[in-house]
Amino acid sequence: MEKTEGRCFHCGEPIPGGVSIHVTVDGREQAVCCAGCQAVAQLIFGTGLGRYYQFRQELGRKAEEDLQGEIEAWQGCDDREPLWGVELPDDRRELLLQTEGIRCAACAWLIRSHLENKPGIDSVQVDTATGYTRIIWQPLQNRLSRIASALMELGYKPHLPLASAEEQGRQAEKRSSMKRLGVAGLGMMQVMMYAVGLYAGDAFGIDVAERSFLEWVSLLVTLPVLIYSGRIFFEGAWRSIRAGRPGMDVPVAVAISLAFLASCYNFFRGTGEVWFDSVVMFIFFLSLGRHIEMMLRHRNLQAGAALARLLPEWAERIIDGKPETLPATDLEEGDLVRVKTGEAFPADGVIQTGETEIDEALLTGESRPASRRPGDEVIAGTINLTQPVEVSVTASGQETTVSSLGRLLLLAQSRRPSSSGIPTWLVPVFIIAVLLIASLTWLAWQYIDPTRAFSAMLSVLVASCPCALSLAL
């Protein structure tokens, strides 16, 4: 637990002069900076989760003292079924929230332990790297606003659910890739330990029973790696063959299959080499390469979506002179919204009342503020600097200028000059040529040295994979 003398026990910020608020921890009073941090600390200890303060690596996020406004805004989302998440069997939903304030594994443990005690919540997963919280819940037993409130009362600020199917797909793809990479990595480390014993036995001698045991456990560890982590290569090869356009997965799948089957044959025959270590290493490094490529692809896609994320989540709509907080995506053309000082405009529109200065550096790069008065247009995402204004909405959501720029950026990233890259027709030709060369290599070595024919053919297949070619260039 960190030493925070003169600072808040919960968030670590300096305690203002004249403030004397405490929480009792193990019979000792600890000072906190505000009633919000006091309430959060009391909640954590009151629910038996005080171990959070022992294992956290960084100080917590400062709690908001007035959460009523945000909770009321979330209550307006309770009846909006599209925000409940992806439908699952048994009337369950998969909700993905961007959660602000997650600092370390202790934060993830605290969120998971607190939420899983709530009714209707089956499981919670927290990604400390991205700040995403994945919640499996039952709308019949709980409400979206209560889930958000449970996060806010711990000092973590949830953002609107990610309704984008593309974002949900990227998260699922990332989880699957991490699982395959983890299984392949663990398998590779285990099999390599056994391989060291086999290599040492070849150099210094080894008992037949001991060699058989090391080869047997190597086979057992290789099987789950081949079936789980290597499945993606076999599926890709089969799809490309069925489509009549063999891709790079074909030589990879053939090389892995032949190496594994030949190793099994030599193992059960009791003579010859086994390549279980080569199989798992090949799968691991190919999986690692694909994972890195996937992360780069996701980063490029998110660069275009970053512009849209500059828009505020909530907007204050004026109806019959009364303010109403609602998600900014629900605004429609003709709505009247109030934008306070320091807030971003939630939609494109025209100022109706008030004069102000706005920061348009988002679009123009100009750091000097621009003056706006009634009748002037404003663009979503720009910042209101000086005075509150009321704006009549002309475009919202995907129709705003910022969203249009994001789509243009994504379109530009998806297009490549016709002169760059390998022609698509060349890939099947290359794959067929590799398979023919491998077959000719095997036939040639049958005349030169039959004992090396298989390993020579396998080397051709392995060397033709994309990773090996990239390293050779």
Side-chain angles (χ1 to χ4, degrees):
M1 190 181 301
E2 299 88 344
K3 295 182 178 180
T4 57
E5 290 83 354
R7 294 180 175 271
C8 177
F9 170 76
H10 176 73
C11 70
E13 293 192 6
I15 299 177
V19 174
S20 180
I21 306 176
H22 299 83
V23 293
T24 302
V25 180
D26 297 331
R28 298 175 53 190
E29 288 192 343
Q30 300 285 353
V32 292
C33 64
C34 63
C37 289
Q38 180 190 41
V40 172
Q42 289 175 343
L43 173 67
I44 292 174
F45 283 106
T47 52
L49 304 176
R51 286 181 295 169
Y52 160 73
Y53 291 102
Q54 299 176 8
F55 299 110
R56 63 178 179 176
Q57 298 173 353
E58 297 185 25
L59 294 169
R61 182 176 180 270
K62 183 176 176 63
E64 301 290 343
E65 295 188 42
D66 184 16
L67 299 177
Q68 191 59 36
E70 293 189 26
I71 293 176
E72 290 178 357
W74 277 95
Q75 287 173 347
C77 300
D78 285 339
D79 297 328
R80 300 185 64 222
E81 189 171 341
L83 294 180
W84 294 355
V86 179
E87 291 189 28
L88 298 176
D90 302 326
D91 295 326
R92 298 183 303 163
R93 294 281 182 142
E94 180 184 5
L95 178 65
L96 194 63
L97 293 175
Q98 176 71 48
T99 309
E100 183 179 340
I102 296 176
R103 309 284 179 86
C104 59
C107 297
W109 173 83
L110 178 64
I111 291 173
R112 186 171 60 252
S113 302
H114 184 61
L115 289 184
E116 287 182 346
N117 288 327
K118 301 295 182 182
I121 296 182
D122 296 340
S123 65
V124 178
Q125 295 178 356
V126 182
D127 188 340
T128 57
T130 62
Y132 288 128
T133 301
R134 177 176 175 265
I135 304 170
I136 306 298
W137 68 298
Q138 303 176 40
L140 297 179
Q141 300 184 29
N142 210 324
R143 285 184 167 271
L144 182 60
S145 60
R146 293 175 185 170
I147 296 176
S149 176
L151 286 168
M152 287 188 284
E153 67 186 7
L154 290 177
Y156 301 98
K157 184 177 180 180
H159 295 277
L160 282 175
L162 297 171
S164 168
E166 292 81 4
E167 182 65 29
Q168 295 276 359
R170 285 197 292 268
Q171 289 297 315
E173 184 184 11
K174 178 184 175 183
R175 287 194 297 269
S176 298
S177 178
M178 288 293 294
K179 291 177 183 177
R180 289 194 300 268
L181 186 61
V183 171
L186 290 174
M188 181 188 69
M189 289 186 290
Q190 292 296 320
V191 174
M192 285 305 298
M193 288 194 302
Y194 308 138
V196 169
L198 292 173
Y199 296 150
D202 291 337
F204 305 105
I206 186 173
D207 186 74
V208 175
E210 294 175 350
R211 170 178 286 277
S212 178
F213 173 76
L214 292 176
E215 291 177 346
W216 178 251
V217 292
S218 297
L219 170 60
L220 292 180
V221 175
T222 302
L223 268 175
V225 176
L226 180 71
I227 295 172
Y228 184 76
S229 300
R231 182 182 61 186
I232 187 174
F233 305 112
F234 296 105
E235 291 176 347
W238 176 243
R239 285 195 300 267
S240 65
I241 291 174
R242 287 183 60 184
R245 300 184 63 85
M248 291 294 185
D249 283 333
V250 173
V252 170
V254 172
I256 293 174
S257 302
L258 291 178
F260 179 75
L261 293 175
S263 298
C264 292
Y265 175 76
N266 290 338
F267 167 67
F268 288 110
R269 191 179 60 167
T271 182
E273 297 291 333
V274 295
W275 298 284
F276 295 126
D277 56 326
S278 300
V279 171
V280 293
M281 285 183 64
F282 195 37
I283 293 175
F284 171 76
F285 286 115
L286 284 175
S287 300
L288 178 62
R290 294 204 172 188
H291 182 77
I292 294 173
E293 183 271 336
M294 179 204 68
M295 296 300 292
L296 293 175
R297 186 177 71 253
H298 288 182
R299 187 181 68 179
N300 290 336
L301 291 173
Q302 290 170 352
L307 287 173
R309 288 199 297 269
L310 295 174
L311 301 180
E313 292 181 289
W314 306 98
E316 186 176 319
R317 183 170 60 184
I318 307 299
I319 299 179
D320 298 329
K322 297 181 180 179
E324 175 192 27
T325 302
L326 77 165
T329 53
D330 286 356
L331 292 175
E332 298 178 355
E333 184 177 352
D335 285 344
L336 186 65
V337 296
R338 178 181 298 159
V339 183
K340 300 176 182 178
T341 304
E343 293 182 349
F345 289 93
D348 294 349
V350 177
I351 294 180
Q352 299 297 312
T353 60
E355 296 184 9
T356 187
E357 292 183 336
I358 64 174
D359 181 2
E360 293 184 331
L362 164 70
L363 297 175
T364 65
E366 176 58 61
S367 60
R368 290 180 297 180
S371 298
R372 291 291 185 270
R373 53 180 53 88
D376 291 341
E377 295 183 352
V378 291
I379 297 175
T382 56
I383 310 298
N384 182 20
L385 296 178
T386 55
Q387 298 293 332
V389 294
E390 293 184 357
V391 177
S392 177
V393 174
T394 58
S396 63
Q398 296 298 317
E399 304 302 322
T400 60
T401 302
V402 170
S403 297
S404 299
L405 288 175
R407 289 195 296 272
L408 289 174
L409 178 58
L410 289 175
L411 181 61
Q413 289 176 338
S414 64
R415 289 181 174 176
R416 295 182 179 179
S418 58
S419 60
S420 66
I422 300 175
T424 55
W425 61 266
L426 188 58
V427 175
V429 175
F430 171 77
I431 299 303
I432 295 173
V434 167
L435 296 177
L436 289 175
I437 293 173
S439 302
L440 293 174
T441 301
W442 182 81
L443 289 174
W445 279 96
Q446 287 293 331
Y447 292 97
I448 301 173
D449 185 355
T451 60
R452 300 180 59 183
F454 181 80
S455 60
M457 178 190 66
L458 195 62
S459 299
V460 173
L461 292 172
V462 171
S464 68
C465 81
C467 296
L469 287 175
S470 299
L471 292 173
L473 293 177

